[in-house]
């Protein structure tokens, strides 16, 4: 397994990103992450958690138990990078949070979700509409709803961006804020309602159903 190395120093940052993105299985991905953990930066971690989120649907509880140590090691390193690196952007934070939530492990990796929440708080206004929708959905999905400061920041950012959101983003935002118990935030839901009205024709029946639930 020494192919693609860099003269004993391991793969270059770009090659490590490619190896993570091209890993055919999560075992292969975790192998790259474990072997080069100290080299993993915000780009690598964003790619890793994105893949974990996409590939996790087929995994059994036994798989998660067998790989618990590797997942927790990756989560610990991710929390450190997210908390300490000045290079982490809103995009990477949104990708990581979305991947963690989609994997179904958010409730188990509370230290990572806390670190992501604090990072989002600082950068919520930097999120574009898609990042904002993904990150809001992620924290609601991971049952990280009691974090008042986080959802205050997300609410403020959503007020500024709601008119730029498409139907899928509005569905995710409405669901996330309703799940987080923010339906009493009249300004927020009035802003979302106005945006929904303008994009109504592009909603799927499922999206419309989920959005209607959020406003109920």
């Amino acid at each position: 397994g020494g192919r693609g190395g860099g003269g004993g120093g391991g793969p270059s940052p770009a090659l490590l990103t490619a190896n993570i993105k091209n890993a055919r299985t999560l075992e292969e991905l975790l192998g790259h992450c474990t072997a080069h953990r100290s080299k993993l930066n915000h780009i690598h971690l964003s790619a890793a958690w994105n893949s974990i989120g996409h590939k996790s649907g087929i995994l059994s509880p036994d798989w998660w138990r067998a790989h618990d140590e590797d997942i927790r090691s990756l989560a610990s390193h991710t929390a450190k990078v997210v908390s300490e690196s000045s290079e982490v952007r809103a995009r990477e934070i949104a990708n990581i949070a979305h991947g963690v939530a989609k994997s179904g492990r958010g409730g188990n990796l509370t230290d990572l979700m806390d670190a992501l929440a604090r990072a989002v708080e600082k950068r919520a206004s930097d999120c574009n509409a898609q990042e904002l929708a993904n990150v809001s959905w992620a924290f609601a999905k991971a049952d990280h709803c009691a974090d008042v400061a986080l959802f205050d920041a997300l609410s403020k950012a959503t007020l500024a961006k709601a008119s730029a959101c498409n139907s899928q983003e509005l569905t995710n935002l409405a669901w996330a804020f309703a799940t987080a118990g923010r339906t009493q935030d009249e300004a927020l839901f009035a802003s979302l309602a106005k945006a929904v009205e303008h994009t109504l024709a592009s909603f799927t029946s499922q999206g419309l159903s989920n959005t209607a639930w959020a406003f109920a």
Side-chain angles (χ1 to χ4, degrees):
R3 289 182 303 159
S12 68
L15 181 56
L16 185 51
T17 301
N19 288 345
I20 289 169
K21 285 184 175 179
N22 296 330
R24 286 161 299 178
T25 65
L26 285 186
E27 285 87 351
E28 188 183 336
L29 183 150
L30 289 173
H32 291 305
C33 292
T34 301
H36 307 291
R37 175 176 157 165
S38 64
K39 289 186 169 187
L40 297 175
N41 63 25
H42 57 298
I43 303 290
H44 302 133
L45 295 166
S46 173
W49 286 106
N50 190 44
S51 288
I52 290 169
H54 281 300
K55 290 183 168 77
S56 61
I58 57 170
L59 302 174
S60 68
D62 286 344
W63 188 95
W64 289 109
R65 277 192 289 275
H67 296 87
D68 187 63
E69 191 178 332
D70 286 340
I71 291 288
R72 288 189 181 280
S73 172
L74 181 61
S76 173
H77 182 69
T78 305
K80 186 175 188 295
V81 171
V82 162
S83 301
E84 297 176 6
S85 172
S86 59
E87 296 182 345
V88 184
R89 298 165 297 177
R91 177 191 297 178
E92 287 90 38
I93 294 166
N95 281 348
I96 293 167
H98 192 262
V100 174
K102 204 168 178 187
S103 77
R105 311 318 286 170
N108 298 341
L109 303 174
T110 50
D111 287 351
L112 174 54
M113 295 306 291
D114 284 340
L116 288 166
R118 301 291 71 80
V120 169
E121 240 185 283
K122 294 176 192 167
R123 298 171 181 82
S125 62
D126 296 338
C127 290
N128 63 28
Q130 183 182 16
E131 291 156 0
L132 194 56
N134 282 350
V135 86
S136 300
W137 176 89
F139 281 101
K141 175 76 173 170
D143 200 21
H144 206 84
C145 299
D147 195 324
V148 174
L150 167 68
F151 276 93
D152 281 349
L154 291 171
S155 172
K156 185 178 177 184
T158 299
L159 278 167
K161 298 267 172 38
S163 61
C165 292
N166 63 30
S167 56
Q168 182 62 60
E169 290 154 1
L170 290 168
T171 295
N172 286 351
L173 284 164
W175 179 86
F177 285 113
T179 300
R182 308 286 289 203
T183 51
Q184 300 306 307
D185 187 337
E186 291 180 10
L188 172 64
F189 272 81
S191 172
L192 288 171
K194 188 176 179 183
V196 167
E197 204 178 321
H198 287 147
T199 54
L200 206 51
S202 60
F203 273 80
T204 64
S205 55
Q206 184 63 57
L208 209 51
S209 171
N210 289 350
T211 307
W213 170 85
F215 281 92

